[in-house]
Amino acid sequence: MNIVLGVSGGIAAYKAVMIARRLVEEGHDVHVVPTDDALQFVGKPTWEAISRQPVTTSVHENVAEVRHVALGQEADLVIVAPATANTLARMAAGIADNLLGTTLLATQAPILVAPAMHTQMWQHPATQANAAVLLSRGVEFIGPDDGRLTGTDSGPGRMSEPDQIVARALEMLRRRGVEDDLRGVRLVVSAGGTREPIDPVRFIGNRSSGRQGVAVAAAAAGRGADVVLLAANIEESILADVRARENVQIVTVTSANELKVVADREAGTADVVVMAAAVSDYRVAEVRATKMRKEDVGGEHLMLELIENPDILAGLARDRRPGQVIVGFAAETADDQQSLIELGRQKLARKGVDLLAVNAVGWSEGFETAENTLYILAAGGELISTVAGTKAETAEGLLDSIVAKLSTAG
Ligand code: CTP
């Protein structure tokens, strides 16, 4: 596909190099359109080498090709990253005295904007008003994130990470290509890891970041579903991917029991339920009302009595309505792929789900990483799909299997 990457003059321009590179690796034609200011941060040779395309900033170059409108007209997607306060203002006003400006006016393609600026500039009513105008015209925003800025200061204004921007861009392209194959579908997905309190300050938890489940929510929303994301202890920066979407509702939960209550309630009206959360199998039998102190425990050993939590997924599968699709995840440690899939098959049978996405986890794989491989098993235990890649890509692969299942479950 044809992607225009507009780059305006901010220090985050160096991170936009990674965006161009990833999109080229994905097989897209990337046309970088930097502003003159952007070239102060990253020079033309870098953009040309990374994008493997000629780079112009001026409407007076290649006039015969009518480049100032052609780039926009031919684009399937336009990304502006970083988008400075100045560029947002110019976009809102429709100013077209450089190639980026003319391209943005000439295009009918979806536009994704990744703002980057100091917190005060982002929060200024002028910038907020410009962002509101652009949003009302259908421009999509990603970020800005809350974090470290150029100097020692931090706050909202940091450009979203290149990986997140690429994931959103691919999803926008996909939305154009796939058509909204989940429109009208209500999809509930749990994500993150539950925490079981020990006392007011301690809990038993797990390493699940929530990235995979959030990626499923984002991808499903991109394909038109009405999504309810049950978020168990997920960092705000990870949730940022779905926060701004109007067809994603986020419900936050902490413990397994809380998750069960909302999962059962939301499943009542859902067409698809995906349990991607890592749910604690046990909880502490007696949660202390006050902080447990060492002298209360006494001795070198501490015994905590744990009692079993309900199996939410198995309950949902047991009570499912005709046509409803229930999907589980299984994170397993196994020596090889065959035993991983075998463990998955046993779990699938125990839980009684329609689809089970199995992935390998270990000390160094699966959890905080961006890449993942999912083996998707159908109710009979057959391996129907293997999807590898970023969590956004594996989420799309899982949704393909869900769409196929929905069409036969009808
Ligand atoms: N799950 C659930 N409720 C639980 C435990 C797990 O709904 N109390 C769901 C998870 O969200 C996931 C699937 O079940 O979709 C598999 O989770 P996993 O922890 O791998 O399964 P367990 O049943 O805990 O199996 P085991 O710990 O024996 O491997």
Side-chain angles (χ1 to χ4, degrees):
M1 298 255 193
N2 254 318
I3 302 176
V4 169
L5 175 62
V7 183
S8 56
I11 183 68
Y14 82 91
K15 290 212 257 174
V17 176
M18 288 307 298
I19 300 174
R21 191 176 146 164
R22 282 284 319 278
L23 292 171
V24 170
E25 282 169 3
E26 294 282 339
H28 299 291
D29 292 326
V30 178
H31 302 273
V32 182
V33 183
T35 61
D36 286 333
D37 268 357
L39 293 177
Q40 303 281 334
F41 292 94
V42 179
K44 211 159 142 176
T46 304
W47 296 121
E48 292 194 328
I50 295 291
S51 69
R52 301 171 200 159
Q53 301 278 352
V55 168
T56 47
T57 59
S58 160
V59 288
H60 306 301
E61 287 176 52
N62 302 322
V63 178
E65 293 171 24
V66 207
R67 204 162 165 79
H68 70 286
V69 290
L71 275 175
Q73 285 170 341
E74 287 161 14
D76 295 299
L77 175 72
V78 179
I79 306 170
V80 184
T84 58
N86 181 43
T87 293
L88 291 182
R90 296 161 62 90
M91 286 175 76
I95 295 174
D97 59 356
N98 61 11
L99 190 59
L100 180 56
T102 55
T103 303
L104 284 162
L105 286 189
T107 196
Q108 306 239 311
I111 300 174
L112 174 64
V113 160
M117 66 198 74
H118 280 278
T119 304
Q120 290 81 355
M121 293 175 79
W122 171 246
Q123 288 172 343
H124 193 284
T127 307
Q128 289 298 309
N130 290 331
V133 165
L134 294 172
L135 274 170
S136 73
R137 287 187 201 142
V139 170
E140 293 200 22
F141 277 68
I142 179 161
D145 291 351
D146 201 330
R148 182 85 193 278
L149 301 173
T150 323
T152 49
D153 48 345
S154 68
R158 189 184 152 93
M159 189 173 84
S160 295
E161 290 307 315
D163 275 354
Q164 282 179 308
I165 297 172
V166 169
R168 176 73 82 85
L170 295 177
E171 186 200 313
M172 286 172 76
L173 282 174
R174 182 163 187 121
R175 233 185 285 163
R176 294 201 94 192
V178 173
E179 286 307 306
D180 296 346
D181 57 2
L182 284 171
R183 185 156 302 280
V185 170
R186 208 174 123 81
L187 182 143
V188 175
V189 53
S190 68
T194 61
R195 290 180 180 175
E196 305 303 319
I198 299 171
D199 67 16
V201 296
R202 302 185 179 94
F203 58 82
I204 297 175
N206 60 70
R207 289 175 54 203
S208 179
S209 66
R211 278 197 184 87
Q212 183 69 73
V214 171
V216 171
R223 290 164 77 152
D226 289 316
V227 178
V228 182
L229 172 64
L230 312 179
N233 311 297
I234 302 178
E235 267 180 39
E236 194 49 45
S237 62
I238 294 171
L239 283 179
D241 264 4
V242 286
R243 247 310 157 220
R245 289 165 180 281
E246 55 185 39
N247 54 340
V248 179
Q249 185 200 339
I250 302 176
V251 182
T252 53
V253 296
T254 306
S255 65
N257 268 331
E258 273 177 52
L259 177 58
K260 179 171 169 55
V261 171
V262 289
D264 286 348
R265 182 188 73 208
E266 296 297 332
T269 52
D271 302 298
V272 180
V273 185
V274 181
M275 283 293 293
V279 185
S280 176
D281 289 329
Y282 294 88
R283 66 180 179 278
V284 177
E286 248 175 83
V287 180
R288 309 243 181 160
T290 54
K291 187 181 160 195
M292 188 160 53
R293 287 174 311 176
K294 240 168 143 181
E295 61 239 45
D296 301 337
V297 177
E300 287 174 11
H301 296 273
L302 166 63
M303 299 286 282
L304 278 179
E305 193 191 338
L306 302 179
I307 49 173
E308 204 178 353
N309 274 329
D311 189 323
I312 304 169
L313 182 62
L316 292 171
R318 194 184 50 234
D319 300 339
R320 71 169 162 289
R321 288 177 284 109
Q324 193 178 37
V325 174
I326 308 288
V327 185
F329 264 80
E332 308 288 352
T333 50
D335 294 334
D336 54 63
Q337 184 186 326
Q338 217 33 55
S339 33
L340 181 75
I341 291 170
E342 196 39 51
L343 286 171
R345 286 201 174 107
Q346 292 164 13
K347 189 159 287 180
L348 179 103
R350 273 206 310 278
K351 306 257 179 183
V353 293
D354 298 300
L355 295 171
L356 188 77
V358 189
N359 72 306
V361 289
W363 292 105
S364 61
E365 41 177 351
F367 285 115
E368 275 107 24
T369 55
E371 301 277 317
N372 208 7
T373 302
L374 291 184
Y375 302 94
I376 302 171
L377 305 178
E382 65 275 21
L383 177 65
I384 52 167
S385 173
T386 302
V387 281
T390 62
K391 288 187 177 174
E393 289 158 355
T394 50
E396 296 285 0
L398 177 61
L399 289 176
D400 290 342
S401 297
I402 291 174
V403 167
K405 181 71 203 166
L406 272 172
S407 65
T408 55

